[in-house]
Amino acid sequence: MNDFTQALELAASLIGHFDPELRQIVGLSLGVSLTASLLAFAIGAPMGTALAIYRIRGRVTLIVVVNALLGLPPVVVGLAVYLLLSRSGPLGTLGILFTPTAMVIAQAILGIPIVIALVHRMMVDVWARYGDALLVDGASRLRATRSLMAIGRDGLLTAFLAAFGRAIAEVGAIIIVGGNVRGYTRTMTTAIALETSKGELSLALALGIILVILSMTVSALSFLIGRILTGR
């Protein structure tokens, strides 16, 4: 108990003084996760909206596949990206394995199905409400897509926050493709896993506290936006 109390006090001290190593790890985590979330959103939001508007062949199958990918194991994604980026892989010449770029790619892959699924579910309702009016006014479905995304911007923000929440808490994929290199690819989650295995609880606790605060903030924002959308 005394060891835990001492570790907690040291963790509070690290946070209070914003230890340089702590700052570097948190900064990298936020940078990688935000970039991955923006990439996932840029790809997933238009696709989710298109699935709600267009009646293309295989649309139902695509929706089922996207929802199935929500449970995709992160370590499988990490392995797939590793094989693609390794020296013997098709993208090995890029030389980005064990770099933050590889971590962004892995996190973005995990976030894309989340964004597509959430945006699609929201846009189905928005299209049912405003679609006919937009088409009567002479807008093409492509132009209607932009209008619908503007109307549903609160829901789009929720989808982005969900992708960010998945990315910031991810460990399995990024430890495979990033290598957990100190000062280069070590994030909050991978550092927590490493420091705990070493028995160095102070840094792990400090990072854990910050990660919990970030996760709670994202959850609170998503909840508040959901309340606004439902008018409650």
Side-chain angles (χ1 to χ4, degrees), residues 32-57:
V32 168
S33 297
L34 283 172
T35 303
S37 301
L38 288 170
L39 181 60
F41 182 81
I43 296 173
M47 291 182 64
T49 304
L51 285 175
I53 294 177
Y54 292 95
R55 297 295 183 265
I56 59 175
R57 180 178 298 179

Side-chain angles (χ1 to χ4, degrees), residues 132-208:
D132 290 340
L134 289 171
L135 294 179
V136 167
D137 287 341
S140 65
R141 288 183 181 264
L142 180 60
R143 289 180 58 192
T145 299
R146 294 194 293 268
S147 299
L148 287 179
M149 292 181 72
I151 294 170
R153 56 187 177 275
D154 292 337
L156 294 177
L157 179 57
T158 300
F160 171 78
L161 290 174
F164 177 74
R166 175 68 182 268
I168 197 69
E170 163 38 34
V171 59
I174 59 175
I175 203 170
I176 293 175
V177 302
N180 201 20
V181 181
R182 183 176 185 178
Y184 186 50
T185 60
R186 185 165 297 174
T187 64
M188 286 188 285
T189 51
T190 60
I192 289 171
L194 177 64
E195 296 300 318
T196 302
S197 67
K198 291 164 52 181
E200 300 291 340
L201 296 181
S202 57
L203 181 58
L205 280 171
L207 291 168

